[in-house]
Amino acid sequence: MRFFVTAEHEKERLQYFASPEGRNDLYQYNQKERRTVLEVLEDFPSVQLPFEWLVQLVPPLKTRAFSISSSPLAHPKQVHLTVSVASWKTPYKRNRSGLCSTWLAELGPEERISIPVWFSRGSLPPPSPTLPLVLVVPGTGCAPFRAFVAERESQSTSEATAPILFFFGCRNEENDFLYRDFWLSHAQSGGVLSEEKGGGFFVAFSRDQPKKLYVQHKMEEESQRIWSLLSSGAAVYIAGSSTKMPTDVMSCIERIVAKEGVVPKDSAVRWLRALEKAGKYRVEAWS
Ligand SMILES: Cc1cc2nc3c(=O)[nH]c(=O)nc-3n(C[C@H](O)[C@H](O)[C@H](O)COP(=O)(O)OP(=O)(O)OC[C@H]3O[C@@H](n4cnc5c(N)ncnc54)[C@H](O)[C@@H]3O)c2cc1C
Ligand SMILES: NC(=O)c1ccc[n+]([C@@H]2O[C@H](COP(=O)([O-])OP(=O)(O)OC[C@H]3O[C@@H](n4cnc5c(N)ncnc54)[C@H](OP(=O)(O)O)[C@@H]3O)[C@@H](O)[C@H]2O)c1
């Protein structure tokens, strides 16, 4: 850009950014603030970058992965996604929003549009109908489990299915209790999340009271039921977008195994490692 800049003050700033002394400020300006190419060009309006240079310099868009949140049994020939619009504030308090999720959210419900997609195997394989499950889900992490619950519901009409204990966490009951009616209807009598079928649905609203309430708190309350299901061969599946969540949930399950199995902490840790090795402790997390 310095090569194509005409205004003197812009040239000085670009020279500073390209110098060893300007490295930290460049990092702050560029990476920390996540400026787009367009925003940078707008900050330096005298830069006359030839179009062919621009095309060569701008990287192609990255692909984005989304968990499939529908069951092929319940919705043949459809693929549903559950997408949270990523939004955050930069260190300089600029509002930012994610490119792909914002774009998807702006599409109208009736809009028909071609998007290139691909499919790849995720880290949460569909469980067999007879595998009891402990599902732990903060926020959009419920995407794959909506598919699991719908699949098990369809399977339960023709064969015996194992129970599911479902722990769901979100910020507010009012704003982001995703698929509320879906979970609640399956938790009613006879549903795959119902107590009658050995299952359960527990929800933690983190911001509806002064003190944070997370899925772990609900799990501690239900520790006996979790341990009883784990002892009968259940698998634990965890999904979500929080960076600290997977380790916090694992520590919580370690505490539950230690308390309810009446074993020392290190034995509980080994027990969970064995569960993981057997492919029965699985996490799909993104940040
Ligand atoms: C296996 C897998 C499954 C996934 N499943 C789902 C799903 O089911 N639903 C879903 O909504 N998403 C899912 N994701 C995440 C999804 O792929 C995208 O990353 C997400 O939608 C954001 O994309 P975007 O284009 O909107 O944001 P982008 O434009 O890519 O911006 C996101 C970028 O902003 C940064 N960022 C985000 N928040 C902050 C913050 N608070 N502070 C600082 N920087 C921040 C991140 O580092 C990231 O690089 C999944 C990811 C993986 C890997
Ligand atoms: N604008 C909005 O209203 C809004 C709402 C939802 C999502 N979003 C956007 O969508 C993105 C992803 O959203 P999401 O719904 O998947 O996730 P999320 O809302 O960021 O998190 C889901 C739940 O997990 C809780 N949580 C945070 N840390 C945890 C931990 N260590 N252990 C257990 N639970 C934990 C959160 O509580 P706390 O966050 O209260 O700590 C929240 O209740 C967000 O980063 C945000 O950009 C925006």
Side-chain angles (χ1 to χ4, degrees), residues 84-85 87 138-140 170-171 206-207 212 214 216 241-242 248:
S84 199
V85 179
S87 59
T140 343
C170 60
R171 298 175 183 190
S206 59
R207 302 189 190 179
K212 292 266 177 178
Y214 284 163
Q216 296 89 302
S241 81
S242 167
D248 290 351

Side-chain angles (χ1 to χ4, degrees), residues 26-73:
L26 176 64
Y27 179 74
Q28 192 69 33
Y29 170 82
N30 218 352
Q31 268 85 359
K32 279 278 199 187
E33 287 294 305
R34 301 195 78 84
R35 278 196 169 74
T36 65
V37 173
L38 180 62
E39 283 171 328
V40 175
L41 289 173
E42 281 170 351
D43 281 353
F44 297 91
S46 84
V47 172
Q48 301 295 316
L49 198 64
F51 184 66
E52 54 275 23
W53 277 64
L54 184 69
V55 170
Q56 281 186 58
L57 288 173
V58 176
L61 281 182
K62 285 185 302 163
T63 53
R64 267 75 169 170
F66 294 100
S67 312
I68 294 178
S69 69
S70 53
S71 145
L73 282 181

